[in-house]
Amino acid sequence: MFHCVATSTDEQHQQTSTEHMKVNDDEQTKPELLDLAIVGAGISGLMAARTISEKHAGIQFRVFEKSAHPGGLLGGLKTRWITWHHFHAVNLCRELNIPLTTVWRQSEVSDTRRSLQSIGPFGESGPTKSDGSVFASVREMLVRLECTRFMSELDCLCTVKFIPRNSENMDHFLRKKLLFEASRQFFRFLIKIGTGFYPSELTVSDCLRVFRSMSSVHDLYGMLTLQNGHLQPVGSPNWEVLVEQLVSRIGHEMVNYSTNIVQVEISSEQRREIVSLTDSTGKRWRARYVIMAVSCLDLLQISFRPTQPLYFQQPNSQLGLWSMANFTVRYPAPYWRDHGYTGCIFSPAQCLICYESGHNQLSGTYFSPLRGVVDDTERHLIRDTVLRLLRTNFDCRTMQKPLECSVEVHPIPFYFDVFPTFERCVIFASTNVSCWYRGFINGSVQGGIRAAILALLEIRPQTITFREVTDMQCIHFKYFQRRSATERFWYSLNLASASRFLLGTGAALLTLGVCRMLYRAEFGGWFNGEMPV
């Protein structure tokens, strides 16, 4: 009896010792606690890391990138260039001594023998131009006038401090405001490639908020059609030199490559919030604060525990366009110039955007309904489609025989608004917060700066200056313009309203005329001085 009790006591002592050893082992194997973890080594993530490191405040941080190289999705539709208005990106290039050059633009591409034309969405040139009839020419002029006027109306509605709440469907708004179906198709395409959503998936308020974060609709259209001067680093059209400079400033050893973060868990330890990061292999890291500098598509693939941030809805992939194919084509000579074209194409009907990106070279984006992973067969199909469209638009058979042709297919990026911070320890950057020129290089730069300032306000608030706090704001009040009465009157007049007024007036006049005829037929003799029988 005594022996059994002694044995039980020894077993309990051994069990207690084993548990104590396990606790000690867990404490020893627990990852070190970082001050800050940055998920994503794109422009925004690297910019956040550079801002943190230049403070020299002894902040321990790491950058985690899922691919084997930094840079993110550079070379996309809206990350190819900047303008002088993108002051964050221009200032960054100036600080890093990165010289900028002007991209070929349609207003300056000229030929000594003849003037060159660009292919636009309103039948200016190309195979879709009008048949020469007076009716078609007038119709195209009215479509251009209507689209230009509606751009002004959208800019007047979105470039204000507070956007009024309007839950009306954006597609219904287009039908109400626009008379021609060609105008509606143009804005459906522009909204899709600008926001990632079709108008039928957005309310008017949501659409205006996203357009405001891109500065204006006119700026977006001007960027896509190269109407103004566009800048890019000398000899580095995909901004690799900017990425290299940022990585060298923060140190190559500070970036963990091939580390795909799949889970972010927030827990309480010693009365403070700690964030645990887990990658696809099961490896874990711990940090007091985390900056999520990843795209919306990647952000939705990450699991947040114990709760999930409030996201905007995802696009409906069944509606139509889903992927974008960025292409670059090089030829022995600029054949398009020989046929009288600048190389610029903006064709919503063909889902094609193209521009002259260099010597004997064209670049652009073709939008397709393909979903998921694109195989080699589909990639070749996209390549053949792009070359066929170039041959058709420029009316040149040799366009289908390039020296080189590269195609990269990605899902169309979409943008939604989340709060700058989540649970006070997870900070969102990149295109997931409402920065200025969102989706462009400038938006990524500003998003990284803003996320770094928010993190520093929590970790080392004494290192922040008042100028940095004001500069990180997503809305710059100098862009808010007080519209004159003439401008408000101009954008309030639209062809759709005028046509409804004329139709209503015509119907009223027609009804009045019919009633008058019936009255005269009934009492016509009485009017002639004869009493009705």
Side-chain angles (χ1 to χ4, degrees):
M1 188 71 173
F2 178 79
H3 179 72
C4 292
V5 173
T7 304
S8 177
T9 304
D10 293 340
E11 290 177 355
Q12 291 178 1
H13 179 72
Q14 292 178 1
Q15 184 178 0
T16 303
S17 301
T18 304
E19 292 177 354
H20 182 70
M21 293 176 60
K22 288 182 178 180
V23 172
N24 291 337
D25 291 341
D26 291 340
E27 292 179 351
Q28 293 177 359
T29 58
K30 183 179 293 186
E32 63 174 330
L33 182 62
L34 300 171
D35 293 320
L36 177 67
I38 302 175
V39 181
I43 294 294
S44 57
L46 295 176
M47 193 64 203
R50 173 182 180 262
T51 305
I52 295 292
S53 61
E54 288 188 344
K55 291 295 182 179
H56 302 290
I59 298 176
Q60 188 177 7
F61 71 92
R62 300 288 298 179
V63 182
F64 301 94
E65 169 58 36
K66 71 174 184 178
S67 63
H69 53 81
L73 296 177
L74 286 175
L77 176 65
K78 290 177 290 183
T79 57
R80 292 196 182 106
W81 43 62
I82 60 175
T83 69
W84 291 113
H85 297 291
H86 296 194
F87 52 89
H88 284 96
V90 172
N91 288 340
L92 177 61
C93 292
R94 187 180 295 113
E95 292 173 2
L96 299 179
N97 296 321
I98 299 177
L100 299 175
T101 184
T102 303
V103 182
W104 294 105
R105 48 185 172 179
Q106 66 179 40
S107 60
E108 292 187 352
V109 175
S110 60
D111 193 282
T112 56
R113 295 169 296 175
R114 53 183 169 175
S115 60
L116 302 180
Q117 295 179 329
S118 297
I119 300 174
F122 308 116
E124 297 93 329
S125 182
T128 58
K129 61 183 177 181
S130 64
D131 55 8
S133 64
V134 177
F135 177 77
S137 300
V138 172
R139 183 178 181 277
E140 289 171 359
M141 181 189 67
L142 292 176
V143 169
R144 177 196 290 270
L145 176 66
E146 183 176 55
C147 291
T148 305
R149 187 214 63 80
F150 190 59
M151 285 188 198
S152 300
E153 179 175 359
L154 290 177
D155 287 344
C156 289
L157 293 174
C158 71
T159 54
V160 293
K161 185 175 181 180
F162 299 106
I163 293 178
R165 185 175 181 83
N166 188 344
S167 59
E168 181 182 5
N169 186 273
M170 190 63 189
D171 197 66
H172 296 164
F173 189 72
L174 295 180
R175 293 180 180 275
K176 182 176 67 176
K177 292 288 185 176
L178 301 174
L179 175 63
F180 297 101
E181 183 62 26
S183 303
R184 298 168 187 165
Q185 291 296 339
F186 167 76
F187 279 100
R188 290 188 185 109
F189 179 76
L190 191 64
I191 292 173
K192 175 61 179 180
I193 65 177
T195 68
F197 296 90
Y198 277 104
S200 58
E201 302 175 277
L202 296 170
T203 65
V204 175
S205 300
D206 291 334
C207 187
L208 293 178
R209 279 197 294 268
V210 178
F211 272 138
R212 182 175 68 173
S213 69
M214 295 178 181
S215 178
S216 71
V217 183
H218 267 114
D219 282 351
L220 176 63
Y221 179 67
M223 289 285 292
L224 297 177
T225 55
L226 270 76
Q227 294 180 352
N228 302 311
H230 295 67
L231 306 172
Q232 66 183 20
V234 176
S236 180
N238 289 333
W239 297 85
E240 293 94 343
V241 61
L242 177 60
V243 175
E244 294 173 359
Q245 289 274 15
L246 291 175
V247 173
S248 63
R249 292 298 179 97
I250 66 176
H252 293 271
E253 69 281 357
M254 303 303 296
V255 184
N256 286 22
Y257 297 106
S258 302
T259 306
N260 185 20
I261 301 298
V262 296
Q263 180 178 303
V264 176
E265 184 176 0
I266 305 173
S267 60
S268 296
E269 296 182 11
Q270 299 178 355
R271 296 184 179 181
R272 64 177 179 178
E273 302 297 321
I274 301 297
V275 184
S276 298
L277 306 175
T278 307
D279 68 358
S280 55
T281 64
K283 189 175 181 179
R284 298 180 61 193
W285 291 266
R286 298 164 66 244
R288 295 174 56 197
Y289 297 93
V290 174
I291 292 178
M292 304 300 299
V294 297
S295 66
C296 299
L297 294 171
D298 292 334
L299 187 62
L300 292 174
Q301 305 303 318
I302 298 177
S303 173
F304 284 83
R305 296 182 180 180
T307 57
Q308 193 85 2
L310 296 177
Y311 295 142
F312 196 75
Q313 63 180 358
Q314 298 184 52
N316 185 352
S317 61
Q318 304 299 324
L319 286 179
L321 301 180
W322 181 249
S323 63
M324 51 188 294
N326 300 320
F327 63 87
T328 297
V329 189
R330 190 169 66 86
Y331 294 93
Y335 299 125
W336 51 93
R337 292 196 184 185
D338 296 335
H339 287 73
Y341 296 103
T342 63
C344 292
I345 302 175
F346 187 88
S347 177
Q350 298 174 332
C351 302
L352 179 68
I353 297 176
C354 180
Y355 68 99
E356 184 174 340
S357 58
H359 184 65
N360 302 338
Q361 180 176 287
L362 295 175
S363 296
T365 302
Y366 170 72
F367 301 88
S368 72
L370 297 177
R371 299 188 300 272
V373 180
V374 179
D375 56 23
D376 292 338
T377 303
E378 293 172 328
R379 194 179 304 276
H380 284 296
L381 178 62
I382 292 175
R383 176 185 181 276
D384 294 340
T385 302
V386 169
L387 295 179
R388 175 178 55 80
L389 290 176
L390 294 179
R391 182 203 66 184
T392 304
N393 281 279
F394 297 134
D395 194 20
C396 179
R397 293 177 177 268
T398 53
M399 297 298 295
Q400 285 193 289
K401 300 178 181 179
L403 294 177
E404 297 177 4
C405 181
S406 61
V407 177
E408 295 182 359
V409 183
H410 305 284
I412 297 178
F414 61 94
Y415 309 111
F416 53 77
D417 289 323
V418 296
F419 293 110
T421 60
F422 176 66
E423 300 291 343
R424 293 190 58 85
C425 53
V426 178
I427 303 168
F428 295 99
S430 187
T431 58
N432 306 306
V433 292
S434 183
C435 52
W436 209 257
Y437 291 102
R438 179 164 58 173
F440 295 92
I441 288 289
N442 191 86
S444 299
V445 173
Q446 187 192 7
I449 296 175
R450 182 184 186 184
I453 297 301
L454 290 174
L456 287 170
L457 286 173
E458 298 288 343
I459 304 173
R460 299 286 191 275
Q462 63 273 19
T463 63
I464 301 301
T465 64
F466 178 76
R467 181 179 178 180
E468 289 173 328
V469 174
T470 56
D471 185 60
M472 77 169 186
Q473 299 299 316
C474 61
I475 301 299
H476 294 270
F477 293 95
K478 66 179 181 179
Y479 287 102
F480 298 146
Q481 303 177 11
R482 183 180 294 275
R483 304 295 175 175
S484 64
T486 305
E487 289 178 305
R488 294 195 298 270
F489 177 76
W490 157 246
Y491 82 71
S492 65
L493 294 177
N494 59 77
L495 296 177
S497 299
S499 65
R500 283 192 291 269
F501 174 76
L502 293 177
L503 288 176
T505 305
L509 293 176
L510 179 62
T511 303
L512 182 61
V514 171
C515 293
R516 187 176 180 183
M517 291 175 60
L518 293 175
Y519 189 85
R520 284 184 175 181
E522 183 69 21
F523 303 105
W526 184 73
F527 282 115
N528 293 328
E530 301 177 2
M531 293 295 294
V533 181

